[in-house]
């Protein structure tokens, strides 16, 4: 674990105007990975010991936290985050909480995987953020209840040791634990509020589940696919193209800035494992005046393989799901979609199944990561 310590220390009281004017953040080295705690993948905050002032579910909201200085309720100031009550000591002689006192929340990852970095965002928590935070993780199969996770026989691994954090800041922590996890326990010491939690990492699917499915989307994020690189991320991340379901609004798509040259934009993907692709979809849902004009898809087998076009440059229609059956299956570990000249797509689907080699390699990695 490496703490990004830029943001420790007090935040200034809110002085009016832009509530984000003095918000502290940095270019964190791990945010190009997918958010394993994304609600769209099925993540949830399943329990917390206290949520007196603000509900635990706010932690995983996809939008950045908002602040209304005049929004009060029966219990006090209403904050866009998870906020617990002030802890107290045992007596008048000892009114302060002990060093061990802390509040906690249990988070189910939407897609189990290897965590590469965590952001504990205290946006708008200026005088009521925790003094320190810590994060633990565990791997429990199935759908365990909070009681199951808190049982004494469950092993928790520390991802972020108890570390001071700053208020109104994106506190980032790089993680270097090569293990597959399903749940996190977020602790704030001794109490306070956290606006948002982001858990960046690599999805590691259960190979038995994929094997039983047979045919599935081999580039989907939830199945272990990953957007490795893209030509342009001006409006939105490339990972949006492999999220579950159809895009509901434009910001859930991938859209590039307008080109003023003769080039084109693209995304390169890593598949769940070596796969045999038999059909594909390119969806432009919600992109009406800014959909890509044409698209092509290429694949390669291995890091040094040769790119082979499986879908030639094809005209796309706005706000439309385009489906193509390949004339023959294509074996690949990577894929690339090129759009011409710019614009965007909302989803790419590559339907197929794992090869014997892909199944074996995925199973070996699954075991290596302690699953």
């Amino acid at each position: 674990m490496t703490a990004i310590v830029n943001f420790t220390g007090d935040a200034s009281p809110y002085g009016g105007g832009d509530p984000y004017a003095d918000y502290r953040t940095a270019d964190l080295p791990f945010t190009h990975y997918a958010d394993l705690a994304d609600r769209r993948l099925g993540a949830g905050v399943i329990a917390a010991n206290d949520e007196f002032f603000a509900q635990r579910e706010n932690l995983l909201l996809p939008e950045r936290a908002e602040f209304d200085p005049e929004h009060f309720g029966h219990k006090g100031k209403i904050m866009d985050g998870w906020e617990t009550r002030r802890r107290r000591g045992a007596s008048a002689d000892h009114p302060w909480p002990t060093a061990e006192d802390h509040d906690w929340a249990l988070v189910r990852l939407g897609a189990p995987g290897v965590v590469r970095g965590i952001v504990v965002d205290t946006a708008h928590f200026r005088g009521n953020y925790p003094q320190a935070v810590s994060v633990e993780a565990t791997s429990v199969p199935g759908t365990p209840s909070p009681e199951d996770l808190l049982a004494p026989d469950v092993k928790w691994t520390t991802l972020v040791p108890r570390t001071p954090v700053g208020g109104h800041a994106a506190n980032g922590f790089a993680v270097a634990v090569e293990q597959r996890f399903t749940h996190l326990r977020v602790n704030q010491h001794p109490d306070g509020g956290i606006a948002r939690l982001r858990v960046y990492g690599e999805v590691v699917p259960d190979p038995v589940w994929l094997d039983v499915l047979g045919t599935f989307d081999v580039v989907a994020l939830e199945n272990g696919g990953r957007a490795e690189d893209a030509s342009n991320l001006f409006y939105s991340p490339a990972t949006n193209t492999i999220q579950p379901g159809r895009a509901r609004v434009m910001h859930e798509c991938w859209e590039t800035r307008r080109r003023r040259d003769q080039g084109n934009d693209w995304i390169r993907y890593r598949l769940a494992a070596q796969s045999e692709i038999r059909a594909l979809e390119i969806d432009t849902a919600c992109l009406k005046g800014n959909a890509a004009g044409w698209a092509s898809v290429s694949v390669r087998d291995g890091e040094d393989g040769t790119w082979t076009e499986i879908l030639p440059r094809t005209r796309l229609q706005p706000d439309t799901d385009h489906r193509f059956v390949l004339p023959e299956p294509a074996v690949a570990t990577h894929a690339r979609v090129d759009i011409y000249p710019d614009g965007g797509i909302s989803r790419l689907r590559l339907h197929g199944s794992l090869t014997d080699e892909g199944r074996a390699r995925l199973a070996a990695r699954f075991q290596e990561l302690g699953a």
Side-chain angles (χ1 to χ4, degrees), residues 14 53-55 58 65-81 83 124-125 128:
Y14 176 62
F53 287 113
Q55 296 174 325
N58 290 335
E66 299 299 331
F67 180 72
D68 181 351
E70 299 181 357
H71 194 193
F72 284 82
H74 294 294
K75 295 181 180 180
K77 183 71 186 73
I78 296 176
M79 297 293 290
D80 186 5
E83 185 181 6
H124 312 305
F125 287 93
N128 50 350

Side-chain angles (χ1 to χ4, degrees), residues 248-265:
R248 299 166 299 175
V249 289
M250 194 170 67
H251 68 73
E252 293 183 355
C253 307
W254 170 59
E255 182 188 0
T256 70
R257 67 187 305 162
R258 299 188 187 211
R259 278 190 170 267
R260 303 306 185 197
D261 59 19
Q262 300 301 305
N264 74 285
D265 290 314

Side-chain angles (χ1 to χ4, degrees), residues 289-301:
N290 48 0
W294 292 262
S296 64
V297 177
S298 302
V299 298
R300 75 181 184 196
D301 187 21

